[in-house]
Amino acid sequence: MADLMQFVLTGITVGLVYSLIALGFTFIWKSSSVANLALGQMVLLFSWIAYGTMEQAGLPFWAGLPVTIAAAAGLGWVLERVVLRPLIGQPILSLITVTLGVAFLFEGLVAMFWPISTAAMPDFIPDEPVQILGAVVSQEYLWAAGIALVLFILVSIFFRYHKMGVAMRATADDQMAVWACGIPVTKIFSVSWMFAGALAAIGGVLMSSIGGITHGLVETGLKSFSVVILGGLDSFLGAIVAGPIIGLAENLGGGYLTELTWSGVKDVIPFIIIVIVLFIKPYGLFGQERIERI
Amino acid sequence: MLKLNNIEVAYLNVIRVLHGVSLSVPDGQIVTLLGANGAGKTTTLKAISGLLHVEEGDVTDGNIEWNGERIDRKNAEYIGRLGIVQALEGRRVFEHLTAEENLLVGAFHRKDRKEVKNDLEMVYNYFSRLRNLRNNTAGYLSGGEQQMVVIGRAMMARPKLMMLDEPSLGLAPLMVDEIYSIIRRFNEEQQTSVLLVEQNVRIALSIAHYGYVMENGRVVLDGTADFLKNNEDVKEFYMGLSAVGKRKSYRDVKHYKRRKRWL
Amino acid sequence: AGCDDNGGGQTTAPTSTVKQPLKIGIMYPQTGVAAAKGQPMAAGVLDAIKYINEEKGGVLGHQIEVISRDNGYDAAKATTIINEFISSKALLFTTQASAMMSVVMGIANEASLPGFTVFSAPSITQPAKHIYAQMPDYGDGWAIFADYYMKNVWKGTGKPKMALMLLNNSTGYGAKDAADKLAATMGIEIVAVEEHTSTTANEIEALTRIAAKNPDVIFISSTPQPTSIIVKGIRDIQATGKFAGLTIGCGHASYTSQLVDLAGAAKVEGVYGVFPTVSWGENVAGMAKMTEYVNKYHPDFKNNMDYITAWAEGLLIAKILETAIQNTPGGAANLTPANVEKYGFQMLNYDVEGLHGPVKYTPGDNRLSKGMRVFQVKSGVITAISNWINAAYIDYGLK
Amino acid sequence: MSGGLPCGTRNFSYAADMAIFRTKTHWALLIIGLIVLFTAPLYLSVYWLGVVNLIGITIIAATGLNLLTGYCGQLSVGHAGFIAVGAFTSAVLTSRLELPFLVALPAAGLLAGGIGIIFGVASLRVKGFYLAISTIAAQIIIIWVINHLSITGGFLGMSVPRAEIFGITFRSPQSLFFLIMIAVVIVIFFAKNLARTRIGRAFVAVRDNDLAAEVMGINLFRYKLIAFFIGCFLAGIAGSLTAHWIGFVSTEHFSITDSILYVGMIIIGGAGTTLGPILGAVAIRLLQQGVTYISTPLAGIDWLPPGFTAGLAPFTFGLVIVLFLVLEPRGLAHRWNLFKASYRLWPFSY
Amino acid sequence: MTGPAEQTAVETEKAIEKPVIVSLKNLTLSFGGITALKDVSVDIRANEILAIIGPNGAGKTCLLNCLNGFYKPQKGQILFEGKNITRIRPDRAAQMGLARTFQNIELFSGLTTLENAMAARHVFMKQNLLTGGIYFGPAHVEEIRHRRIVEDIIDFLEIEAVRHHVVATLPYGMRKRIELARALALEPKVLLLDEPMAGMNTEEKEDIARFIVDIFEGQGETYPDTPVLRDGVRAIVLIEHDMGVVMDLADRIVVLDFGRKIAEGTPEEIRNNPQVISAYLGESATR
Ligand SMILES: Nc1ncnc2c1ncn2[C@@H]1O[C@H](COP(=O)(O)OP(=O)(O)OP(=O)(O)O)[C@@H](O)[C@H]1O
Ligand SMILES: Nc1ncnc2c1ncn2[C@@H]1O[C@H](COP(=O)(O)OP(=O)(O)OP(=O)(O)O)[C@@H](O)[C@H]1O
Ligand SMILES: [Mg+2]
Ligand SMILES: [Mg+2]
């Protein structure tokens, strides 16, 4: 019973960390229908930038974090400007592939400037774990989970009510028609990539305060893809709900199935779930269905 | 007052589509642009609204003036802020947004929140059907309803010049009448100039003040609506009326065409 | 007709010595996923050979000519590279890790080209063919730790209960193979085997299940980052009163200063580990030269453990060639890959200037050095607590 | 699929209009091309022969992915997983069961194709990026299973005997070259024909407009499965050849990065053209060589940061992909066709 | 496909009573809260052009979608030549002889005109993976045979000039015609046309009208090898908002409004039906 509690608690908090990263994906998707496969690499690069500002340049946390976020937003802006803007209106596969190119590019940058390959983020969250009903969770996870929830609420409100958010959703539907309304699509793209960069930076700092800055951040990016798929690509609610579901599946599945199957089943369970769920709900739990009319 | 002076347009620097088009839209008037498929009507509208640049097209010669200011080198955003909006052909609603959100996107540039609220009300007054559908997903609306959304969206920008591309496409006759009467009302009440592209020549000339006929990228005929309505060529080729003023039957067309082909 | 300099690599220019140069092949993953390891290693071995060629005048007057190639940790590339080594008549070759050696050893064995790999799995040396291992493998690491634990740490009665936390590749499972083979005879009961990925962010779930089994000792065979996650997880769970009196041991793939950085000194305090080389600054014969070179040419790799292994590898290559020339009938003129193996590898007896366990070939056992030392983190510093312990040959029955 | 006809060439029968090689020049170019290709062992070094072999195998796998993704529009980011299925099938059959290579090769294709069909069932309802992720899931599940089966050697991988056909053992890079190139030529021929006939048209119909395709009598599910089968079948064949070429298989060699790279190849080359995967495979593999080539001498430059060369590879790689796409978003094959068009119209370019 | 014996049968049919080919009985279709069709019954008879008209959103397209299996009605029955095809798969419906064009052009944009039509011949072909991949042999013969038929259709619709053009870049009117060609290539028994003339000017409408009439009547020996052109189709269902076209071409008209059938009859009857006038035609159309 205590074990169950532990699995549930770990599952939910870890899952919310996946959600945190997933929000950045959904943001781009909702505003421009671009699947950003460089997400993991963005998280990695921005974590290193955080390391650079705080550990290497020696800025205190309260100064280092804003600098990192600003740098990340700036990079997002550059990315949109140089890479994505020329591809507006091109086949969607080309857009996906170009983000793959960006992924390689970022990995290269990381390897060039931080060849040490792993490092610890400066400590800014207390070390002592927290105990809840006999289960234990480290404060780092609680912080990350809490921030994920706050960001979720913020971006949801932004997209639902802010006119920029609404325009972003319109852009994802039909760029040409948005142009025709005299709305600067390019500005919308810039802004959404800047936001996405900032989100990735926040996610990166929190993630790497948990497990250090390593290439594993890229893999977490991969896992967050399964989160957005499960939740529905265009749904923040989906991302925030699906993260804990994946986390729970990992932990409960690992907790009770490992004995019955091979070890390491924990790492494939999310993907098995995805295949099954997609079969029943092809657009994820909260995704909008494609409007199929002829 | 919009003026196009002898503009030429080419796509991708090679495909020349317009060969010297001149027209003007005086303030507060409805001007219609008629012509066959591929004549370059849509291209003309895009040249005005600046959307051409998005499609790798360019105004290679001539100029476009809006109240004396040259706008053919300006981008779509700037032109949009001047109060020139275009409703694209083919009911391009934002499918996943609700009808009301679609309308609000039209008002993106406006800062006067109160006024936007009032205008929303105005659009619902024009298109009473939309009022009930305001929270429905636009992608599932019927064709006519989507057309209303598109026109309403253009109205929400409080444009000085509204350009409508084939608003009657695929609409039921009653709906065509309705939309056209709304366009006329809007023009009269708001003093908005309208540039109207149409295939349905009869209805377009019924509300327009002035008209231009385009063919192969050139303006071949222009005149007041009454002049055009009574022009024999317009009657024959665009309204399908024979010399006597009666419409030919589509069943008979076949034989007429065949004969023409063998001759 | 092939030309030699086509693979995109550099060959060290032969100097004006009259004696023919000795050609060897080295492939490291200088790019790709394992570049972080491959780069310092390539630096180490090339620096050592530079030292031998320039300061010691080569091997008995012969310059060592290195064909150094980047395999990018990629099987297809490695395959083309080994073919190139063979066709350019290299006398021996080396790789960094078992993954790449597994790929190329079939071709190398067919061509009777001897070679060794720095980090290895038993499947490379068992059965013994033309391929050697520079250092003990991950199974040996487990065996040495288990032996030390039984003799010096375990104070309870009955069999100690051990849990294994394994990385999901040959590093992790190497330890499991040894445990499967030896635990029973050593009097250790394996109560849990858990697998994780190299990129895991949380292992609380596996640890919770392990905690239910009340282990006395946990052995982690993995790399630094996951190990730090696991150690932190253990410490978190200990806050609830579980895992009291638990001993933590680490395999050598993870037991570096990086682990201390990532987990935090407080969390790794007291953790045991094994390691097959000396540390920087230890007082051994080869330390001064190596430190001089690293400072001069690769200051970034100062304190990097892989540089030490690779520097030792360079010394070892020179020693093998020297032994081969001395013992081959007819000397250097008759050097062939077969002779290098017969008279070089198998007659080797070398202390590697104290940089890692002494090397001596035992027939049938293709591990060159067999020793590791046991360490413990004390006040945040990894401190040696034993002398070189030799791992006995474990017969895994591979064929 | 109108081929490039020089100005003034006309066809007088449908058969002639449908032929791929229509003029004497076409045929001459084809024959010269084949001769140049098959005499490569005479003038290429062992190293470059190895590179060419790798390119050949890559072309086979990329062609499979192109049929699935480029033609049928089913984005798959799990191709390396299916290649792994082929590689391990062939390895197990030839080394554990000691079956001949000529049995193992098609068996590898069939099993990979079969497993492709199983995961393809997901494509019945799932589209686009959703499908892409479920193919990533396929790869992860496949690799996990292979890692935990004892017959495949688990994490250690297993060695694979040399391919042998009618007593000829393919051991040297030269002999392997012929084996692989013959397979490449057959696969390209097959894919080209498939693409221009009934099934290929149905694939494109499904890709361009699945709803209309269904209403036009094309059974969506069936064709998606066929596409998965044939795409994964070719992956399996490529896997089998890889296994026998290298002589060793391990799951480490079939990573998501590889899968992603394959997608990159067909996009850079030009998805939905026969030429695309060929150009893409050649471009990416040569790029890898080029990066290796420049990074080794750069590693000797002391004043560069130590990570410079390690980072250079992915950096250049990413940069080239980005530049390619920004400058030619429709792929190399598109550029090539434009070039051909201008040649065709020459000297009247308008 | 159709032999001479059957052809005479067709002729005699024309002379006497028009039998029902497709019969839709009491169809009800809804999406969530929206009811698109409510208890609609329509018969499609041999040798007639049946027009379906109604305001936007009345459910006309939905009716066609039900007919060829794209939508599955919640209630009701569809009989095609006596067989129940109510919840048939769309591709099966196409194979049975129901081909259509679409309200918004739905071509295979990456294929050429020729290939678009050949793609529709798919249902008549027998190639499989192996013969297709090998090509030389049965596949070659088959390709040539079907190419002949498709070329006839292309010739008939006067789109020879764009035969090898990828359709995405062609003008609107041309693409509408290619859609028609593709539908004809399926050799339908019943041809369903959803607003084939929307967005066209009078001249282009006349062209399409001519094609419709010609397809309906059959071209006889002008195209001896292509049954669908030689013999014509058995019935055409036409959705169109241009009343001139509808009144001239249709033999019978069905009017839908808000998912219900509100009238049915000859053009003359419909023109003067007050309910139709108020719901659909409006005053201007009666002028
Ligand atoms: N983006 C483009 N690139 C190249 N050519 C184009 C492009 N857009 C339009 N054209 C060509 O320009 C010509 C005029 O097109 P346009 O859309 O302006 O005609 P239109 O009068 O609006 O016709 P319709 O009545 O069919 O809407 C056509 O021949 C068309 O093929
Ligand atoms: N897939 C769908 N999901 C939800 N509602 C739908 C769907 N398809 C159609 N509808 C609704 O069904 C009703 C009938 O639509 P339909 O397309 O049949 O109209 P129509 O008579 O063809 O109109 P138009 O003349 O504008 O084409 C509309 O209210 C439409 O919004
Ligand atoms: Mg137009
Ligand atoms: Mg409709």
Side-chain angles (χ1 to χ4, degrees), chain D residues 3 17 20 53 59 69 80 131 167 171 238-239 255 263 268 272 283 293 302 308 316 338:
Chain D
D17 193 37
I20 304 173
N53 284 347
I59 288 176
T69 300
L131 182 63
R171 177 171 287 122
S255 65
V263 177
I268 284 184
Y293 190 88
D302 296 330
F308 186 78
T316 324
L338 289 182

Side-chain angles (χ1 to χ4, degrees), chain C residues 32-45:
Chain C
V33 289
K37 251 181 144 47
Q39 298 247 338
M41 293 187 73
V45 68

Side-chain angles (χ1 to χ4, degrees), chain B residues 47-78:
Chain B
I48 299 167
S49 67
L51 283 185
L52 215 49
H53 308 296
V54 184
E55 291 199 349
E56 300 180 59
D58 252 316
V59 178
T60 52
D61 201 8
N63 61 57
I64 302 174
E65 278 173 29
W66 172 249
N67 294 336
E69 178 187 359
R70 268 192 73 163
I71 56 168
D72 49 296
R73 294 264 173 272
K74 297 287 196 288
N75 61 23
E77 181 199 347
Y78 180 83

Side-chain angles (χ1 to χ4, degrees), chain A:
Chain A
M1 206 46 218
D3 282 2
L4 177 66
M5 189 60 214
Q6 180 69 58
F7 295 153
V8 169
L9 187 65
T10 314
I12 290 176
T13 48
V14 172
L16 281 170
V17 176
Y18 299 154
S19 299
L20 179 63
I21 307 294
L23 290 177
F25 180 95
T26 304
F27 202 102
I28 289 291
W29 178 272
K30 246 179 127 77
S31 60
S32 56
S33 297
V34 174
N36 177 18
L37 295 184
L39 184 63
Q41 282 79 0
M42 280 169 78
V43 171
L44 179 68
L45 178 63
F46 299 152
S47 301
W48 278 114
I49 291 179
Y51 178 83
T53 53
M54 296 183 209
E55 195 82 330
Q56 292 172 315
L59 288 183
F61 180 74
W62 57 264
L65 187 67
V67 169
T68 305
I69 291 177
L75 242 128
W77 182 82
V78 171
L79 201 62
E80 192 280 328
R81 196 76 209 206
V82 189
V83 177
L84 286 134
R85 189 170 299 179
L87 286 176
I88 290 178
Q90 294 297 342
I92 198 75
L93 262 179
S94 299
L95 272 162
I96 294 183
T97 316
V98 90
T99 65
L100 287 177
V102 171
F104 279 112
L105 206 80
F106 280 7
E107 259 183 56
L109 283 177
V110 166
M112 278 184 190
F113 292 102
W114 294 278
I116 40 180
S117 87
T118 51
M121 201 47 120
D123 260 342
F124 58 90
I125 298 172
D127 263 350
E128 301 80 46
V130 175
Q131 289 190 45
I132 303 171
L133 298 175
V136 60
V137 58
S138 69
Q139 287 198 36
E140 290 152 338
Y141 279 101
L142 286 182
W143 274 91
I147 290 177
L149 284 171
V150 170
L151 286 176
F152 157 70
I153 293 168
L154 290 181
V155 291
S156 300
I157 291 175
F158 174 73
F159 267 85
R160 174 113 249 127
Y161 300 111
H162 194 276
K163 71 174 181 181
M164 187 64 141
V166 176
M168 280 178 175
R169 277 155 60 209
T171 313
D173 260 358
D174 190 340
Q175 290 171 15
M176 199 60 192
V178 172
W179 272 118
C181 294
I183 299 172
V185 173
T186 48
K187 185 171 156 205
I188 288 195
F189 277 3
S190 300
V191 171
S192 48
W193 278 90
M194 284 165 69
F195 267 111
L199 279 177
I202 296 172
V205 169
L206 287 167
M207 283 283 303
S208 44
S209 76
I210 293 170
I213 312 169
T214 69
H215 201 261
L217 294 170
V218 172
E219 244 80 351
T220 312
L222 203 65
K223 220 166 239 168
S224 69
F225 291 151
S226 50
V227 169
V228 290
I229 288 292
L230 180 60
L233 288 177
D234 43 24
S235 167
F236 290 118
L237 181 64
I240 211 77
V241 170
I245 291 180
I246 297 267
L248 280 174
E250 271 182 352
N251 281 276
L252 293 174
Y256 296 109
L257 290 180
T258 310
E259 310 273 288
L260 308 174
T261 57
W262 293 315
S263 52
V265 71
K266 172 185 170 187
D267 296 305
V268 293
I269 283 178
F271 294 97
I272 294 173
I273 289 189
I274 296 239
V275 173
I276 295 171
V277 168
L278 284 187
F279 210 73
I280 303 162
K281 275 190 83 73
Y283 297 93
L285 298 175
F286 300 98
Q288 272 166 340
E289 301 207 356
R290 182 171 84 144
I291 293 179
E292 294 193 340
R293 289 178 72 174
I294 50 176

Side-chain angles (χ1 to χ4, degrees), chain B residues 36-43 45-46 89 165-166 197 199, chain E residues 172:
Chain B
N37 282 126
K41 306 181 294 294
T42 303
T43 304
L45 295 198
K46 284 181 181 164
E89 64 189 323
D165 202 348
E166 304 201 20
V197 164
Q199 295 284 0
Chain E
Y172 185 83

